[in-house]
Amino acid sequence: MNQKNKNQNNRPNVLFISVDQWPAHLFGCAGNEVIETPTIDSLAKAGIRYTSAFTECPICIPARRSMMTGTSPRTHGDRIFQPALPMPAFPTLAGAFTAAGYQTQAIGKLHAYPPRARIGFEEAMIAEEGRSHLGGVDDYEIFLAENGQAGQQFMHGMSNNQYIWRTWHLDERLHVTNWTTATAAKSIRRRDPTRPAFWHVSYTHPHPPITPLTSYLDRYRSRTMDTPAVSEWSQRVSTPWAVQAAQHLWGELTDEQYADMRRAFYAQCTHVDHQIRLLIGSLREEGILDNTIILFVSDHGDMLGDHGMYAKRFLYQGSVKVPMILVNRTGVDEHRQDSVDERLVALQDIMPTLLTMCDIEVPDSCDGLSMLGEAKRDTLYCEAMEGPRATRMVTDGRYKLFWYPAGNQFQLFDLTHDPRELHDLFYDPDMLPVTHLLHAQLLKELYGSDLEWIADGTFVGCEAPDQMAPANRDLSGQRGIHFPPLATATDPGHVVGFG
């Protein structure tokens, strides 16, 4: 082997694992005593766990655009969920690795448009949660058809954005979590041994539909489940309109129904955790585990009933805070194994971090910072939606200020002493210095249509609508039977469901 190929082959591989809608607090390593996450807990012991990691916009598409471009929503152009918006013309995470000579493959959910756009990957095997009507062939649905189950993905009858549940209706090996793992493991086995590899393995769960394997649900059947955060502020008549509107989106669950739903959600989490073990095992058996960087993250979390809300699109901790675990290759930064880093980090930091770790130049278009570098941000701005449902937030890591333009209302929380955000401190006179500082920072961050809600340097907001939520006629984006194949939608930009 010549020296050039030898050096190329010794460059670190990267396994970038993402999950969908998994809150940062639902891990054993984060202190949760109910959920089982032994694999991810082991990764945390082998690397760095970032305890102040956030998604800049807790909505699937905007979050993934930040992951893949190293930019904030202000730069990449989406803070509301735009299904038919192509990736911006910036260098992408995958494109940078491909240009540097890496073999690059995505397996699972990309949520790009059009659906088979590779956004810089050499190859993509996609599972897009039943979105073939947007104009792309879905590899997971092909797999089901080849196994005699054409169009049967959603025969369980559960919605992609609701919190009813049932167990998985097909064989275990046909579950999308298993397919993602098997496809990724096959890619690891079939890699080009003369080039380093970058694998993005993107699991669609625990995002609803909530359809756990029976074998995993059984693990939780006899457990006493944890309960949602219940705050006095979320039950006031004066609660911000956007919060009240969110509380009207989903039907109430009895205590028994809620506990069962949470068991099913946790079962999906543990299933993903155990499947990740097979990826680690595949790397080990190929003799490349020690030379592989591993990053684990979620695109956003899930409120799971906290303060009467479910799903994402909210800037409370259950939705906006994400797990972020980084494991370097063996022999590098070993002093940081089993460590916690409290700096403010976000999804835009993934691209510059991984590129820097692999000695690849970071494009000037990136807004993010390397999570291993000396640079640290003082505050982080997060945002979701436009119009009356908009929420804006800025945090310095300890205090978090919310602004709801509809009704021009604010909230302030002390995350150090109140991590579940039970006590709104905005009207506490002792908090005025903190409020003034965060107000000033928030004003600096606003742009676009938000500027219509500012007058003379002051927040004025807009009038809150009367209507809370329309009738849920489409059952939050309920899928149907996908055989015969779906026709391409006439309006791929149409958003279905509330979640």
Side-chain angles (χ1 to χ4, degrees):
M1 181 182 296
N2 63 41
Q3 188 64 34
K4 180 179 178 181
N5 285 341
K6 181 178 179 181
N7 291 339
Q8 179 83 330
N9 196 33
N10 286 338
R11 298 173 73 185
N13 304 296
V14 178
L15 175 61
F16 173 25
I17 302 171
S18 66
V19 291
D20 199 327
Q21 209 150 311
W22 193 332
H25 63 277
L26 291 190
F27 297 87
C29 59
N32 189 291
E33 297 179 352
V34 180
I35 199 164
E36 292 185 34
T37 54
T39 312
I40 297 160
D41 296 346
S42 294
L43 291 177
K45 285 186 175 295
I48 306 166
R49 183 167 66 91
Y50 294 87
T51 55
S52 294
F54 293 86
T55 175
E56 300 88 334
C57 181
I59 305 173
C60 293
I61 293 175
R64 290 166 192 277
R65 289 166 73 89
S66 288
M67 284 184 192
M68 293 299 167
T69 63
T71 63
S72 67
R74 180 173 190 157
T75 300
H76 67 57
D78 189 13
R79 57 184 175 183
I80 62 174
F81 188 92
Q82 299 182 65
L85 184 66
M87 197 66 71
F90 304 144
T92 63
L93 174 62
F97 272 99
T98 300
Y102 275 69
Q103 53 193 304
T104 56
Q105 185 169 30
I107 301 101
K109 182 176 179 178
L110 273 182
H111 228 338
Y113 185 82
R116 295 217 66 94
R118 294 187 181 178
I119 60 171
F121 288 99
E122 291 181 318
E123 179 59 283
M125 298 290 287
I126 63 172
E128 293 290 348
E129 303 170 306
R131 292 185 174 87
S132 56
H133 64 286
L134 295 181
V137 176
D138 187 285
D139 294 294
Y140 172 61
E141 291 198 335
I142 292 173
F143 165 78
L144 289 180
E146 291 173 341
N147 282 271
Q149 302 293 338
Q152 301 300 297
Q153 179 176 182
F154 297 101
M155 279 298 288
H156 47 63
M158 300 295 99
S159 172
N160 282 39
N161 294 295
Q162 286 187 311
Y163 291 80
I164 55 175
W165 66 275
R166 58 154 287 181
T167 52
W168 179 244
H169 60 301
L170 302 175
D171 291 344
E172 280 198 12
R173 68 184 183 87
L174 301 180
H175 196 283
V176 66
T177 295
N178 292 42
W179 174 85
T180 302
T181 302
T183 304
K186 185 185 297 183
S187 176
I188 292 170
R189 295 276 194 249
R190 297 181 65 251
R191 76 190 189 287
D192 177 353
T194 69
R195 291 196 294 157
F198 175 84
W199 295 285
H200 176 45
V201 183
S202 177
Y203 290 97
T204 62
H205 284 91
H207 190 300
I210 304 178
T211 56
L213 298 180
T214 300
S215 57
Y216 279 93
L217 182 63
D218 286 345
R219 304 177 72 92
Y220 290 96
R221 287 192 190 276
S222 62
R223 296 193 192 182
T224 300
M225 301 304 292
D226 36 9
T227 56
V230 179
S231 53
E232 184 273 335
W233 62 260
S234 65
Q235 302 173 64
R236 297 175 190 160
V237 175
S238 60
T239 296
W241 178 86
V243 172
Q244 295 186 49
Q247 292 170 334
H248 282 77
L249 294 182
W250 290 273
E252 291 188 18
L253 300 175
T254 65
D255 290 346
E256 185 178 48
Q257 289 171 333
Y258 179 84
D260 279 347
M261 179 278 294
R262 200 148 183 142
R263 289 184 179 97
F265 191 93
Y266 283 25
Q268 293 195 146
C269 293
T270 301
H271 181 197
V272 172
D273 178 277
H274 287 183
Q275 288 288 297
I276 292 173
R277 302 180 74 83
L278 299 173
L279 301 181
I280 304 299
S282 296
L283 294 171
R284 184 190 66 81
E285 290 176 341
E286 290 296 304
I288 58 175
L289 177 59
D290 288 346
N291 195 38
T292 298
I293 296 164
I294 302 173
L295 177 67
F296 174 87
V297 73
S298 182
D299 59 346
H300 51 74
D302 191 306
M303 293 299 292
L304 284 177
D306 286 349
H307 315 297
M309 292 175 277
Y310 288 85
K312 62 267 192 180
R313 298 188 180 181
F314 312 111
L315 301 181
Y316 300 103
Q317 294 293 81
S319 171
V320 76
K321 190 177 179 184
V322 297
M324 183 84 77
I325 296 171
L326 180 63
V327 183
N328 213 327
R329 50 184 166 159
T330 299
V332 180
D333 286 337
E334 290 195 338
H335 66 287
R336 300 202 66 181
Q337 288 182 359
D338 194 17
S339 68
V340 166
D341 193 322
E342 297 179 344
R343 77 177 76 185
L344 285 169
V345 300
L347 300 184
Q348 63 188 280
D349 299 333
I350 291 173
M351 181 170 173
T353 300
L354 294 178
L355 291 178
T356 299
M357 293 175 76
C358 296
D359 198 25
I360 301 172
E361 185 176 357
V362 178
D364 292 338
S365 57
C366 284
D367 297 324
L369 305 172
S370 170
M371 294 186 289
L372 292 176
E374 295 298 321
K376 299 180 182 180
R377 54 176 60 85
D378 295 324
T379 60
L380 179 69
Y381 172 68
C382 301
E383 56 187 327
M385 307 300 290
E386 293 181 345
R389 292 186 183 274
T391 314
R392 306 292 179 252
M393 180 272 279
V394 65
T395 180
D396 62 5
R398 175 174 179 178
Y399 294 104
K400 187 162 80 165
L401 179 74
F402 285 76
W403 178 42
Y404 288 99
N408 200 34
Q409 291 182 266
F410 293 86
Q411 292 179 316
L412 179 72
F413 298 98
D414 181 344
L415 300 180
T416 299
H417 296 103
D418 182 25
R420 303 193 79 185
E421 298 167 308
L422 302 178
H423 308 291
D424 180 3
L425 303 177
F426 183 73
Y427 293 102
D428 184 337
D430 292 338
M431 292 292 105
L432 279 176
V434 173
T435 300
H436 288 158
L437 286 173
L438 294 181
H439 262 157
Q441 184 61 36
L442 183 59
L443 278 171
K444 294 177 183 177
E445 300 285 359
L446 301 177
Y447 64 94
S449 59
D450 295 359
L451 301 181
E452 300 173 9
W453 300 327
I454 304 298
D456 299 323
T458 302
F459 298 91
V460 296
C462 61
E463 186 174 350
D466 294 327
Q467 185 181 16
M468 285 299 173
N472 191 8
R473 293 187 62 180
D474 71 355
L475 303 179
S476 298
Q478 176 68 48
R479 305 306 200 249
I481 300 173
H482 281 199
F483 187 84
L486 293 168
T488 300
T490 55
D491 180 11
H494 176 65
V495 177
V496 296
F498 295 131

